[in-house]
């Protein structure tokens, strides 16, 4: 089955990207989908629940996570790609390694989601440029640049001298310039302000979401990934909800998803697809009627 990636890139409605973590230590679901059969079943379940894209990650990027070996990452990703491509899935690969990106694209994946925005492995943009039908999500994150892999990167990378919105915008656009220089076409690029990455607090992340229209103004589609992140729980706690459960965080994420759809995000990256599918449907409808 041929999937029109230009239509995906230029989608007029906000899409839902479901998270498939094939890891031991992701912060909310580490180990649950490490078995290949479980990974396939979960991917299929998210597609049934309405996920437009499945985002496969085989290496945790939570603060303090240790790197997995390149071979292990390749094996995990390839198993999931080969299992889900025959099901008609649109697959995004959450990786910072060029070897993993190349292997996944050659096996049918369509999107590379690089949380380092092309700065940890500078060959990743070149791999994407070679696969002209693929898309490339360029995310903002300072943690890798500070050499903090394996430690907690927020401590020395979360100071934004000019304000979080201005600094993230400027740094992200510099990353995009570098990616373009590597040969990636503008029509392949999606941007992500990187909620929670070098941005530990409510005060870091909500201004970026409120500034969604500014990021939209670049002309590049914008991905928002707030799902189950620490700042979501912190915002609930600030509202008087003691020790928010995972269910509470998923409800809050769905509210964020609706707002992101209302304000024109390209996609939301979520763990609970069903809740955000419904929320995004309402946000898309709200936006449609607001533009009548």
């Amino acid at each position: 089955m041929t999937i029109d990636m230009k239509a995906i890139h230029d989608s007029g409605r906000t899409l839902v990207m479901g998270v498939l973590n094939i890891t031991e230590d992701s912060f909310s679901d580490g180990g649950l989908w490490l078995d290949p059969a479980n990974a396939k079943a979960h991917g299929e379940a998210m597609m049934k629940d309405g996920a437009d894209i499945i985002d496969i990650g085989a290496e945790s990027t939570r603060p303090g996570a240790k790197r997995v070996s390149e071979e292990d990452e390749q094996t995990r990703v390839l198993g999931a790609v080969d299992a889900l491509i025959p099901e008609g899935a649109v697959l995004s690969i959450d990786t910072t390694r060029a070897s993993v990106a190349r292997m996944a694209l050659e096996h049918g994946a369509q999107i590379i989601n690089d949380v380092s925005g092309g700065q940890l492995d500078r060959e990743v943009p070149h791999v994407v440029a070679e696969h002209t039908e693929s898309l490339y999500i360029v995310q903002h994150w300072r943690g890798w640049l500070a050499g903090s892999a394996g430690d907690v990167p927020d401590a020395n990378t979360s100071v934004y001298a000019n304000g979080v919105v201005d600094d993230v915008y400027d740094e992200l656009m510099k990353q995009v310039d570098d990616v373009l220089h590597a040969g990636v076409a503008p029509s392949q690029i999606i941007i992500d302000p990187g909620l929670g990455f070098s941005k530990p607090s409510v005060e870091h992340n909500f201004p970026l979401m409120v500034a969604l229209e500014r990021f939209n103004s670049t002309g590049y589609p914008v991905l928002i990934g707030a799902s189950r992140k620490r700042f979501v729980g912190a915002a609930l706690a600030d509202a008087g909800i003691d020790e928010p459960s995972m269910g509470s965080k998923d409800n809050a994420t769905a509210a964020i998803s609706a707002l992101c759809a209302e304000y024109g995000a390209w996609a939301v990256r979520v763990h609970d697809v069903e809740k955000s599918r419904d929320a995004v449907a309402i946000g898309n409808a709200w936006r449609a009627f607001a533009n009548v």
Side-chain angles (χ1 to χ4, degrees), residues 1 3 16-20 39-56 80-81 83-91 110 271-274 277:
M1 181 177 68
I3 295 171
V16 177
M17 175 185 284
V19 178
L20 178 54
K40 181 177 186 291
H42 187 52
E44 290 174 337
M46 287 192 290
M47 292 169 66
K48 184 178 180 181
D49 284 342
D52 300 288
I53 301 165
I54 304 296
D55 188 50
I56 299 169
V81 169
L84 292 172
I85 283 294
E87 305 302 319
V90 177
L91 298 183
Q110 303 96 341
H271 296 81
D272 189 322
V273 167
E274 188 173 17
R277 174 203 66 195

Side-chain angles (χ1 to χ4, degrees), residues 10 48 80 119 125 161 164 195 213 216 236:
D10 298 340
K48 184 178 180 181
Q119 297 184 82
V164 67
L195 302 183
E213 289 178 308
N216 282 338
L236 291 172

